[in-house]
Coordinates of all heavy atoms in Angstrom, one line a residue:
M1393 N 6.5 -40.1 -6.8 CA 6.5 -38.8 -7.5 C 6.5 -37.7 -6.5 O 5.6 -37.6 -5.7 CB 5.2 -38.7 -8.4 CG 5.0 -37.4 -9.1 SD 3.5 -37.5 -10.1 CE 4.1 -37.0 -11.6
N1394 N 7.5 -36.9 -6.5 CA 7.6 -35.8 -5.6 C 7.1 -34.5 -6.2 O 7.9 -33.8 -6.9 CB 9.1 -35.6 -5.2 CG 9.3 -34.6 -4.1 OD1 8.4 -34.1 -3.5 ND2 10.6 -34.2 -3.9
K1395 N 5.9 -34.1 -6.0 CA 5.3 -32.9 -6.5 C 5.5 -31.7 -5.6 O 5.4 -31.9 -4.3 CB 3.7 -33.0 -6.7 CG 3.3 -33.6 -8.0 CD 1.8 -33.4 -8.1 CE 1.5 -33.7 -9.5 NZ 0.0 -33.5 -9.7
K1396 N 5.9 -30.6 -6.2 CA 6.1 -29.4 -5.4 C 4.9 -28.6 -5.6 O 4.6 -28.1 -6.7 CB 7.4 -28.7 -5.8 CG 8.6 -29.5 -5.5 CD 9.9 -28.7 -5.8 CE 11.1 -29.5 -5.4 NZ 12.3 -28.8 -5.5
L1397 N 4.2 -28.3 -4.5 CA 2.9 -27.6 -4.6 C 3.1 -26.1 -4.5 O 2.3 -25.3 -5.0 CB 2.0 -28.0 -3.5 CG 1.5 -29.5 -3.6 CD1 0.7 -29.8 -2.4 CD2 0.8 -29.8 -4.9
L1398 N 4.2 -25.6 -3.9 CA 4.4 -24.2 -3.8 C 5.5 -23.7 -4.7 O 6.5 -24.3 -4.8 CB 4.8 -23.9 -2.3 CG 3.8 -24.2 -1.3 CD1 4.4 -24.0 0.1 CD2 2.5 -23.5 -1.4
P1399 N 5.2 -22.6 -5.4 CA 6.2 -22.0 -6.3 C 7.5 -21.6 -5.6 O 8.6 -21.6 -6.1 CB 5.6 -20.8 -6.9 CG 4.1 -20.9 -6.7 CD 4.0 -21.8 -5.5
V1400 N 7.4 -21.3 -4.3 CA 8.5 -20.9 -3.5 C 9.6 -22.0 -3.4 O 10.8 -21.8 -3.4 CB 8.1 -20.4 -2.1 CG1 9.3 -20.1 -1.2 CG2 7.2 -19.2 -2.2
E1401 N 9.1 -23.3 -3.5 CA 10.0 -24.4 -3.4 C 10.9 -24.6 -4.6 O 11.9 -25.3 -4.7 CB 9.2 -25.7 -3.2 CG 8.5 -25.8 -1.9 CD 7.6 -27.0 -1.7 OE1 7.4 -27.6 -2.8 OE2 7.3 -27.4 -0.6
M1402 N 10.5 -23.9 -5.8 CA 11.2 -24.0 -7.0 C 12.2 -22.8 -7.3 O 12.7 -22.8 -8.3 CB 10.2 -24.1 -8.2 CG 9.3 -25.3 -8.1 SD 8.2 -25.5 -9.4 CE 7.1 -24.0 -9.2
T1403 N 12.4 -22.0 -6.3 CA 13.2 -20.8 -6.5 C 14.6 -21.1 -6.2 O 14.9 -22.0 -5.5 CB 12.7 -19.6 -5.7 OG1 12.7 -20.0 -4.3 CG2 11.2 -19.2 -6.1
S1404 N 15.5 -20.2 -6.7 CA 16.9 -20.4 -6.5 C 17.5 -19.3 -5.6 O 18.6 -19.3 -5.3 CB 17.7 -20.5 -7.8 OG 17.4 -19.3 -8.6
S1405 N 16.7 -18.2 -5.3 CA 17.2 -17.1 -4.4 C 16.1 -16.6 -3.5 O 15.0 -16.9 -3.7 CB 17.8 -16.0 -5.3 OG 16.7 -15.4 -6.0
S1406 N 16.6 -16.0 -2.5 CA 15.6 -15.5 -1.5 C 14.7 -14.4 -2.1 O 13.5 -14.2 -1.8 CB 16.3 -15.0 -0.2 OG 17.1 -13.9 -0.6
E1407 N 15.3 -13.6 -3.0 CA 14.5 -12.5 -3.7 C 13.4 -13.1 -4.6 O 12.3 -12.6 -4.6 CB 15.4 -11.6 -4.5 CG 16.4 -10.7 -3.7 CD 17.6 -11.5 -3.3 OE1 17.9 -12.6 -3.9 OE2 18.3 -11.0 -2.4
E1408 N 13.7 -14.2 -5.3 CA 12.7 -14.8 -6.1 C 11.7 -15.4 -5.3 O 10.5 -15.4 -5.6 CB 13.5 -15.8 -7.0 CG 12.6 -16.4 -8.1 CD 13.3 -17.4 -8.9 OE1 14.5 -17.8 -8.6 OE2 12.7 -17.9 -9.9
A1409 N 12.0 -16.1 -4.2 CA 11.1 -16.7 -3.2 C 10.1 -15.6 -2.7 O 9.0 -15.8 -2.5 CB 11.8 -17.5 -2.2
T1410 N 10.6 -14.5 -2.3 CA 9.9 -13.4 -1.7 C 8.9 -12.9 -2.8 O 7.7 -12.7 -2.5 CB 10.8 -12.2 -1.3 OG1 11.7 -12.7 -0.3 CG2 10.0 -11.1 -0.7
S1411 N 9.3 -12.7 -4.0 CA 8.4 -12.3 -5.1 C 7.3 -13.3 -5.3 O 6.1 -12.9 -5.4 CB 9.2 -12.1 -6.4 OG 8.4 -11.7 -7.4
W1412 N 7.6 -14.5 -5.4 CA 6.6 -15.6 -5.6 C 5.6 -15.6 -4.4 O 4.4 -15.8 -4.5 CB 7.2 -17.0 -5.7 CG 7.6 -17.3 -7.1 CD1 8.8 -17.3 -7.7 CD2 6.7 -17.7 -8.2 NE1 8.8 -17.6 -9.0 CE2 7.5 -17.9 -9.3 CE3 5.4 -17.9 -8.3 CZ2 6.9 -18.3 -10.5 CZ3 4.8 -18.3 -9.5 CH2 5.6 -18.5 -10.6
A1413 N 6.1 -15.5 -3.2 CA 5.3 -15.5 -2.0 C 4.3 -14.4 -2.0 O 3.1 -14.5 -1.6 CB 6.1 -15.5 -0.7
A1414 N 4.8 -13.2 -2.3 CA 4.0 -12.0 -2.4 C 2.8 -12.1 -3.4 O 1.7 -11.8 -3.1 CB 4.8 -10.7 -2.7
M1415 N 3.2 -12.7 -4.6 CA 2.1 -12.8 -5.6 C 1.1 -13.9 -5.2 O -0.1 -13.7 -5.3 CB 2.8 -13.3 -6.9 CG 1.8 -13.4 -8.0 SD 2.5 -14.2 -9.5 CE 2.8 -15.9 -8.9
T1416 N 1.6 -15.0 -4.5 CA 0.7 -16.0 -4.1 C -0.3 -15.5 -3.0 O -1.5 -15.8 -3.1 CB 1.5 -17.2 -3.5 OG1 2.4 -17.7 -4.6 CG2 0.6 -18.4 -3.1
H1417 N 0.3 -14.7 -2.1 CA -0.6 -14.1 -1.1 C -1.6 -13.1 -1.6 O -2.8 -13.1 -1.2 CB 0.3 -13.4 0.0 CG 0.9 -14.4 1.0 ND1 2.3 -14.7 0.9 CD2 0.4 -15.1 2.0 CE1 2.5 -15.6 1.9 NE2 1.4 -15.8 2.5
C1418 N -1.2 -12.4 -2.5 CA -2.1 -11.4 -3.2 C -3.3 -12.1 -3.9 O -4.5 -11.8 -3.6 CB -1.4 -10.5 -4.2 SG -2.4 -9.4 -5.1
I1419 N -3.0 -13.1 -4.7 CA -4.0 -13.9 -5.3 C -4.9 -14.6 -4.3 O -6.2 -14.6 -4.4 CB -3.4 -14.9 -6.3 CG1 -2.8 -14.1 -7.5 CG2 -4.5 -15.8 -6.9 CD1 -2.0 -14.9 -8.4
G1420 N -4.3 -15.2 -3.3 CA -5.1 -15.9 -2.3 C -6.1 -14.9 -1.5 O -7.2 -15.3 -1.2
F1421 N -5.6 -13.8 -1.2 CA -6.4 -12.8 -0.5 C -7.5 -12.3 -1.4 O -8.7 -12.1 -0.9 CB -5.6 -11.6 0.0 CG -4.8 -11.9 1.2 CD1 -3.5 -11.5 1.3 CD2 -5.2 -12.7 2.3 CE1 -2.7 -11.8 2.5 CE2 -4.5 -13.0 3.4 CZ -3.2 -12.5 3.5
L1422 N -7.3 -12.1 -2.7 CA -8.3 -11.7 -3.6 C -9.4 -12.8 -3.8 O -10.6 -12.5 -3.7 CB -7.7 -11.4 -5.0 CG -6.9 -10.1 -5.1 CD1 -6.3 -10.0 -6.5 CD2 -7.8 -8.9 -4.8
I1423 N -9.0 -14.0 -3.8 CA -10.0 -15.1 -3.8 C -10.7 -15.2 -2.5 O -11.9 -15.4 -2.6 CB -9.2 -16.5 -4.2 CG1 -8.7 -16.5 -5.6 CG2 -10.2 -17.7 -4.0 CD1 -7.8 -17.6 -6.0
G1424 N -10.0 -15.1 -1.4 CA -10.6 -15.2 -0.1 C -11.7 -14.1 0.1 O -12.7 -14.3 0.8
T1425 N -11.4 -12.9 -0.4 CA -12.4 -11.8 -0.2 C -13.5 -11.9 -1.2 O -14.6 -11.3 -0.9 CB -11.7 -10.4 -0.3 OG1 -11.2 -10.3 -1.6 CG2 -10.7 -10.2 0.7
S1426 N -13.4 -12.6 -2.2 CA -14.5 -12.7 -3.2 C -15.7 -13.6 -2.7 O -16.8 -13.4 -3.0 CB -14.0 -13.3 -4.5 OG -13.6 -14.6 -4.4
G1427 N -15.4 -14.5 -1.8 CA -16.4 -15.4 -1.2 C -17.5 -14.7 -0.5 O -18.7 -14.8 -0.8
P1428 N -17.2 -13.9 0.6 CA -18.2 -13.1 1.3 C -18.9 -12.1 0.4 O -20.1 -11.9 0.5 CB -17.4 -12.4 2.4 CG -16.1 -13.3 2.6 CD -15.8 -13.8 1.2
L1429 N -18.1 -11.5 -0.5 CA -18.8 -10.5 -1.5 C -19.9 -11.2 -2.3 O -21.0 -10.8 -2.5 CB -17.8 -9.8 -2.3 CG -16.9 -8.8 -1.6 CD1 -15.8 -8.3 -2.5 CD2 -17.7 -7.6 -1.1
L1430 N -19.5 -12.4 -2.9 CA -20.4 -13.1 -3.7 C -21.6 -13.6 -2.9 O -22.8 -13.5 -3.4 CB -19.7 -14.3 -4.4 CG -20.5 -15.3 -5.2 CD1 -21.1 -14.6 -6.4 CD2 -19.7 -16.5 -5.6
T1431 N -21.3 -14.1 -1.7 CA -22.4 -14.6 -0.8 C -23.4 -13.5 -0.5 O -24.6 -13.6 -0.5 CB -21.9 -15.3 0.4 OG1 -21.0 -16.3 0.0 CG2 -23.0 -15.8 1.3
G1432 N -22.8 -12.3 -0.1 CA -23.7 -11.2 0.2 C -24.5 -10.7 -1.0 O -25.7 -10.4 -0.8
Y1433 N -23.9 -10.6 -2.2 CA -24.6 -10.2 -3.4 C -25.8 -11.2 -3.7 O -26.9 -10.8 -3.9 CB -23.7 -10.2 -4.5 CG -24.4 -9.9 -5.9 CD1 -24.8 -8.6 -6.2 CD2 -24.6 -10.9 -6.8 CE1 -25.5 -8.4 -7.4 CE2 -25.3 -10.7 -7.9 CZ -25.7 -9.4 -8.2 OH -26.4 -9.2 -9.4
L1434 N -25.5 -12.5 -3.6 CA -26.5 -13.5 -3.9 C -27.6 -13.5 -2.8 O -28.8 -13.7 -3.1 CB -25.9 -14.9 -4.0 CG -25.1 -15.1 -5.3 CD1 -24.4 -16.4 -5.3 CD2 -25.9 -15.0 -6.5
H1435 N -27.2 -13.2 -1.6 CA -28.3 -13.1 -0.5 C -29.1 -11.9 -0.8 O -30.4 -12.1 -0.5 CB -27.5 -13.0 0.9 CG -28.5 -12.9 2.0 ND1 -29.0 -11.7 2.5 CD2 -29.1 -13.8 2.8 CE1 -29.9 -11.9 3.5 NE2 -29.9 -13.2 3.6
D1436 N -28.6 -10.8 -1.1 CA -29.4 -9.6 -1.4 C -30.4 -9.9 -2.6 O -31.5 -9.5 -2.6 CB -28.6 -8.4 -1.8 CG -27.8 -7.9 -0.5 OD1 -28.2 -8.3 0.6 OD2 -26.9 -7.1 -0.7
R1437 N -29.9 -10.6 -3.6 CA -30.7 -10.9 -4.8 C -31.8 -12.0 -4.5 O -32.9 -11.9 -5.1 CB -29.9 -11.3 -6.0 CG -28.8 -10.3 -6.4 CD -29.3 -9.2 -7.2 NE -29.7 -9.7 -8.5 CZ -30.4 -9.0 -9.3 NH1 -30.7 -7.8 -9.1 NH2 -30.8 -9.5 -10.5
M1438 N -31.4 -13.0 -3.8 CA -32.3 -14.2 -3.6 C -33.0 -14.2 -2.3 O -34.0 -14.9 -2.2 CB -31.5 -15.5 -3.8 CG -30.7 -15.6 -5.0 SD -31.8 -15.8 -6.4 CE -30.6 -16.0 -7.7
G1439 N -32.5 -13.6 -1.3 CA -33.2 -13.6 0.0 C -32.7 -14.7 1.0 O -33.2 -14.8 2.1
H1440 N -31.7 -15.6 0.6 CA -31.3 -16.6 1.4 C -29.8 -16.9 1.0 O -29.3 -16.5 0.0 CB -32.1 -17.9 1.4 CG -32.5 -18.3 0.1 ND1 -31.7 -19.1 -0.7 CD2 -33.7 -18.1 -0.6 CE1 -32.3 -19.4 -1.8 NE2 -33.5 -18.8 -1.8
F1441 N -29.1 -17.8 1.8 CA -27.7 -18.0 1.6 C -27.4 -19.3 0.7 O -26.3 -19.6 0.5 CB -27.0 -18.2 2.9 CG -26.9 -16.9 3.7 CD1 -27.6 -16.6 4.7 CD2 -25.9 -16.0 3.3 CE1 -27.5 -15.5 5.5 CE2 -25.7 -14.8 4.0 CZ -26.6 -14.5 5.1
N1442 N -28.5 -20.0 0.3 CA -28.2 -21.3 -0.4 C -27.3 -21.1 -1.6 O -26.4 -22.0 -1.8 CB -29.6 -21.9 -0.7 CG -30.4 -22.3 0.5 OD1 -29.9 -22.3 1.6 ND2 -31.7 -22.5 0.3
E1443 N -27.6 -20.2 -2.5 CA -26.9 -20.1 -3.7 C -25.5 -19.6 -3.5 O -24.5 -20.1 -4.2 CB -27.5 -19.1 -4.7 CG -28.8 -19.6 -5.4 CD -30.0 -19.6 -4.6 OE1 -30.0 -19.0 -3.4 OE2 -31.0 -20.2 -5.0
G1444 N -25.3 -18.8 -2.5 CA -23.9 -18.3 -2.2 C -23.0 -19.4 -1.6 O -21.9 -19.6 -2.1
I1445 N -23.6 -20.3 -0.8 CA -22.9 -21.4 -0.2 C -22.6 -22.4 -1.4 O -21.5 -22.9 -1.5 CB -23.6 -22.0 0.9 CG1 -23.6 -21.0 2.1 CG2 -22.9 -23.3 1.3 CD1 -24.5 -21.4 3.3
L1446 N -23.6 -22.7 -2.2 CA -23.4 -23.6 -3.3 C -22.3 -23.1 -4.3 O -21.5 -23.9 -4.8 CB -24.7 -23.8 -4.0 CG -24.8 -24.9 -5.0 CD1 -24.6 -26.3 -4.4 CD2 -26.2 -24.9 -5.7
A1447 N -22.3 -21.8 -4.6 CA -21.3 -21.2 -5.5 C -19.9 -21.4 -4.9 O -19.0 -21.8 -5.6 CB -21.6 -19.8 -5.7
M1448 N -19.8 -21.2 -3.6 CA -18.4 -21.4 -2.9 C -18.0 -22.8 -3.0 O -16.8 -23.1 -3.1 CB -18.4 -20.8 -1.5 CG -18.4 -19.3 -1.6 SD -18.0 -18.6 0.0 CE -19.5 -18.9 0.9
V1449 N -19.0 -23.8 -2.8 CA -18.6 -25.2 -2.9 C -18.1 -25.5 -4.3 O -17.1 -26.2 -4.4 CB -19.8 -26.1 -2.5 CG1 -19.6 -27.5 -2.9 CG2 -20.1 -25.9 -1.0
F1450 N -18.8 -25.1 -5.3 CA -18.4 -25.4 -6.7 C -17.0 -24.7 -7.0 O -16.2 -25.3 -7.6 CB -19.4 -24.9 -7.7 CG -20.6 -25.8 -7.8 CD1 -21.9 -25.2 -7.8 CD2 -20.4 -27.2 -7.9 CE1 -23.0 -26.1 -7.8 CE2 -21.6 -28.0 -8.0 CZ -22.8 -27.5 -8.0
I1451 N -16.8 -23.5 -6.5 CA -15.5 -22.9 -6.7 C -14.4 -23.7 -6.0 O -13.3 -23.9 -6.5 CB -15.6 -21.4 -6.3 CG1 -16.4 -20.6 -7.2 CG2 -14.2 -20.8 -6.2 CD1 -16.8 -19.2 -6.7
S1452 N -14.6 -24.1 -4.8 CA -13.7 -24.9 -4.0 C -13.3 -26.2 -4.8 O -12.2 -26.6 -4.8 CB -14.2 -25.2 -2.6 OG -14.3 -24.0 -1.9
I1453 N -14.3 -26.9 -5.3 CA -14.1 -28.1 -6.0 C -13.3 -27.8 -7.3 O -12.4 -28.6 -7.6 CB -15.5 -28.8 -6.4 CG1 -16.1 -29.3 -5.1 CG2 -15.3 -29.9 -7.4 CD1 -17.6 -29.8 -5.3
A1454 N -13.6 -26.8 -8.0 CA -12.9 -26.4 -9.2 C -11.4 -26.1 -8.9 O -10.5 -26.5 -9.6 CB -13.5 -25.2 -9.9
M1455 N -11.2 -25.4 -7.8 CA -9.8 -25.1 -7.4 C -9.0 -26.4 -7.0 O -7.9 -26.5 -7.3 CB -9.8 -24.1 -6.3 CG -10.2 -22.7 -6.7 SD -10.4 -21.5 -5.3 CE -8.8 -21.6 -4.6
G1456 N -9.7 -27.3 -6.4 CA -9.1 -28.6 -6.0 C -8.7 -29.3 -7.2 O -7.6 -29.9 -7.3
I1457 N -9.6 -29.4 -8.2 CA -9.3 -30.1 -9.5 C -8.1 -29.4 -10.2 O -7.2 -30.2 -10.7 CB -10.6 -30.2 -10.3 CG1 -11.6 -31.1 -9.7 CG2 -10.2 -30.7 -11.8 CD1 -12.9 -31.1 -10.4
L1458 N -8.1 -28.1 -10.3 CA -7.1 -27.5 -10.9 C -5.7 -27.7 -10.2 O -4.7 -27.9 -10.9 CB -7.3 -25.9 -11.0 CG -8.3 -25.5 -12.0 CD1 -8.6 -24.0 -11.8 CD2 -7.8 -25.8 -13.4
S1459 N -5.7 -27.8 -8.9 CA -4.4 -28.0 -8.2 C -3.9 -29.4 -8.4 O -2.7 -29.7 -8.4 CB -4.6 -27.7 -6.7 OG -5.4 -28.7 -6.1
L1460 N -4.8 -30.4 -8.6 CA -4.4 -31.7 -8.9 C -3.9 -32.0 -10.3 O -3.1 -32.9 -10.5 CB -5.6 -32.7 -8.6 CG -6.0 -32.8 -7.2 CD1 -7.3 -33.7 -7.1 CD2 -4.9 -33.4 -6.3
T1461 N -4.3 -31.1 -11.2 CA -3.8 -31.2 -12.6 C -2.7 -30.3 -12.9 O -2.3 -30.1 -14.1 CB -5.0 -30.9 -13.5 OG1 -5.5 -29.6 -13.4 CG2 -6.1 -32.0 -13.4
K1462 N -2.0 -29.7 -12.0 CA -0.9 -28.7 -12.1 C 0.3 -29.5 -12.7 O 0.6 -30.6 -12.4 CB -0.6 -28.1 -10.8 CG 0.6 -27.3 -10.7 CD 0.9 -26.9 -9.3 CE 2.3 -27.1 -8.8 NZ 3.3 -27.6 -9.6
K1463 N 1.0 -28.7 -13.7 CA 2.2 -29.3 -14.2 C 3.3 -29.3 -13.2 O 3.4 -28.4 -12.3 CB 2.7 -28.5 -15.4 CG 1.8 -28.6 -16.6 CD 2.4 -27.7 -17.8 CE 1.5 -27.8 -19.0 NZ 2.1 -27.0 -20.0
E1464 N 4.2 -30.2 -13.3 CA 5.4 -30.3 -12.4 C 6.6 -29.6 -13.1 O 6.9 -29.9 -14.2 CB 5.7 -31.8 -12.1 CG 6.8 -31.9 -11.1 CD 7.1 -33.3 -10.7 OE1 6.2 -34.2 -11.0 OE2 8.0 -33.6 -10.1
Y1465 N 7.2 -28.8 -12.3 CA 8.4 -28.1 -12.8 C 9.6 -28.6 -12.2 O 9.6 -29.0 -11.0 CB 8.2 -26.5 -12.6 CG 7.1 -25.9 -13.3 CD1 5.8 -25.7 -12.8 CD2 7.3 -25.5 -14.6 CE1 4.8 -25.2 -13.5 CE2 6.3 -24.9 -15.3 CZ 5.1 -24.7 -14.8 OH 4.0 -24.2 -15.5
K1466 N 10.7 -28.5 -12.9 CA 12.0 -29.0 -12.3 C 12.9 -27.7 -12.0 O 13.0 -26.8 -12.9 CB 12.7 -29.9 -13.3 CG 11.9 -31.2 -13.6 CD 12.7 -31.9 -14.6 CE 11.8 -33.2 -15.0 NZ 12.4 -33.9 -16.2
N1467 N 13.5 -27.7 -10.9 CA 14.4 -26.6 -10.5 C 15.8 -27.0 -11.0 O 16.4 -27.8 -10.4 CB 14.3 -26.3 -9.1 CG 15.1 -25.0 -8.7 OD1 15.5 -24.3 -9.6 ND2 15.2 -24.8 -7.4
E1468 N 16.3 -26.4 -12.1 CA 17.6 -26.6 -12.6 C 18.4 -25.4 -12.4 O 17.9 -24.2 -12.4 CB 17.5 -27.0 -14.0 CG 16.7 -28.3 -14.2 CD 16.6 -28.7 -15.7 OE1 17.2 -28.0 -16.5 OE2 16.0 -29.7 -16.0
P1469 N 19.7 -25.5 -12.3 CA 20.6 -24.3 -12.3 C 20.3 -23.4 -13.5 O 20.2 -23.8 -14.6 CB 22.0 -24.9 -12.3 CG 21.8 -26.3 -11.9 CD 20.5 -26.7 -12.3
G1470 N 20.2 -22.1 -13.2 CA 20.0 -21.1 -14.3 C 18.5 -20.8 -14.5 O 18.1 -20.0 -15.3
G1471 N 17.6 -21.4 -13.7 CA 16.2 -21.0 -13.8 C 15.3 -22.2 -13.8 O 15.7 -23.3 -13.6
L1472 N 14.0 -21.9 -14.0 CA 13.0 -23.0 -14.0 C 12.8 -23.5 -15.4 O 12.8 -22.8 -16.4 CB 11.7 -22.4 -13.4 CG 11.7 -21.9 -12.0 CD1 10.3 -21.3 -11.7 CD2 12.0 -23.0 -11.1
H1473 N 12.6 -24.8 -15.5 CA 12.3 -25.4 -16.8 C 11.2 -26.4 -16.7 O 11.1 -27.0 -15.7 CB 13.6 -26.1 -17.3 CG 14.8 -25.2 -17.5 ND1 14.9 -24.3 -18.5 CD2 15.8 -25.0 -16.7 CE1 16.0 -23.6 -18.4 NE2 16.6 -24.0 -17.2
L1474 N 10.5 -26.5 -17.8 CA 9.4 -27.5 -17.8 C 10.0 -28.9 -17.9 O 10.9 -29.2 -18.5 CB 8.4 -27.3 -19.0 CG 7.6 -26.0 -18.9 CD1 6.9 -25.8 -20.2 CD2 6.6 -26.1 -17.7

């Protein structure tokens, strides 16, 4: 089974690939910046880092499970189809 993990692999033009890459980077950076913010907030509320680290571990596990259950798309002429 050949799973394509990146939306860029399913595009048919460089403009479409650029658009997907920009969206993917934006979402990734937003997720990446939320970790330190969440950890800092929980540290201020609780006085230690345990809850912040535990929250990031659970979020990482959830993201891993979501990536494993992703639907597979086929790249056909004329666009993307399920």
Side-chain angles (χ1 to χ4, degrees):
M1393 178 181 228
N1394 185 11
K1395 273 192 166 181
K1396 294 186 177 184
L1397 297 177
L1398 299 174
V1400 175
E1401 294 175 343
M1402 299 182 292
T1403 60
S1404 57
S1405 69
S1406 62
E1407 292 83 13
E1408 190 179 5
T1410 302
S1411 176
W1412 274 102
M1415 182 190 67
T1416 304
H1417 282 106
C1418 178
I1419 292 170
F1421 286 137
L1422 289 174
I1423 292 171
T1425 58
S1426 66
L1429 289 173
L1430 175 65
T1431 303
Y1433 173 77
L1434 290 173
H1435 180 269
D1436 288 345
R1437 302 281 293 169
M1438 305 291 181
H1440 47 82
F1441 289 105
N1442 296 343
E1443 284 80 10
I1445 293 171
L1446 191 61
M1448 285 192 288
V1449 167
F1450 283 133
I1451 290 169
S1452 297
I1453 291 170
M1455 288 173 59
I1457 291 170
L1458 285 175
S1459 70
L1460 292 174
T1461 60
K1462 173 186 127 6
K1463 290 183 182 179
E1464 184 174 349
Y1465 294 95
K1466 297 176 186 174
N1467 189 8
E1468 297 177 3
L1472 297 175
H1473 301 283
L1474 291 174

